Amino acid sequence: MKATSVTSVKPIKHTSSPDCRHVRELLARIGAKWSMIVVTRLATGPMRFSELKRDIGTISQKMLTSTLRELERDGFVTRTVTPTIPPRVDYTLTDLGVDLLGPLEALGEWAVRNQHRVEQARERAREVGV
């Protein structure tokens, strides 16, 4: 395994300042399993609720509704209602949501590159009973 230097990595300050609380809250929102999936699905363009549900597959209607509301509240997604019968509701990424795609893609690439390292660490932990 290749050793890496951490001297070039800027340490994260651990404080209880309001800024840290806001960062934690925001990272919890965008790091939530369903939030990441919904945002990446909407990267291809506007989608209706039923399209999202069908595309994701394993998410419950209640969880998708909750996730979309939270993403809309935080400014990542817009909800557009077209007054038809039945009403048509489309969800689209905002500029903020589109801006989030880069970091999500980088995190996804990191996860793919390092999945084997995590699996090796888990195996070592199982061997020693952790």
Side-chain angles (χ1 to χ4, degrees):
M1 185 181 312
K2 182 174 104 175
T4 58
S5 170
V6 293
T7 56
S8 63
V9 176
K10 183 178 176 185
I12 298 172
K13 283 181 153 180
H14 295 285
T15 68
S16 59
S17 74
D19 288 343
C20 284
R21 182 176 53 84
H22 293 299
V23 169
R24 277 194 316 270
E25 290 172 0
L26 185 56
L27 290 177
R29 160 65 26 239
I30 62 176
K33 173 184 178 180
W34 297 117
S35 295
M36 293 178 69
I37 292 171
V38 168
V39 168
T40 57
R41 292 303 197 280
L42 290 174
T44 60
M47 293 181 83
R48 297 178 76 175
F49 183 93
S50 57
E51 292 175 301
L52 276 167
K53 173 113 176 55
R54 187 173 39 255
D55 192 40
I56 295 170
T58 55
I59 190 170
S60 70
Q61 183 167 331
K62 181 179 177 182
M63 183 55 68
L64 181 55
T65 298
S66 173
T67 300
L68 286 165
R69 283 183 183 153
E70 290 169 353
L71 289 170
E72 182 181 12
R73 180 199 67 211
D74 291 344
F76 295 105
V77 170
T78 57
R79 178 179 184 265
T80 305
V81 179
T82 306
T84 59
I85 301 176
R88 178 185 172 108
V89 180
D90 289 291
Y91 295 91
T92 309
L93 290 179
T94 63
D95 290 342
L96 183 62
V98 170
D99 195 37
L100 179 59
L101 291 172
L104 288 181
E105 184 177 312
L107 184 58
E109 289 171 359
W110 178 89
V112 168
R113 277 194 322 271
N114 290 285
Q115 180 180 2
H116 70 283
R117 294 171 67 191
V118 173
E119 289 171 0
Q120 289 171 346
R122 288 176 179 169
E123 181 59 35
R124 285 190 303 273
R126 277 192 295 274
E127 289 172 0
V128 297
V130 175

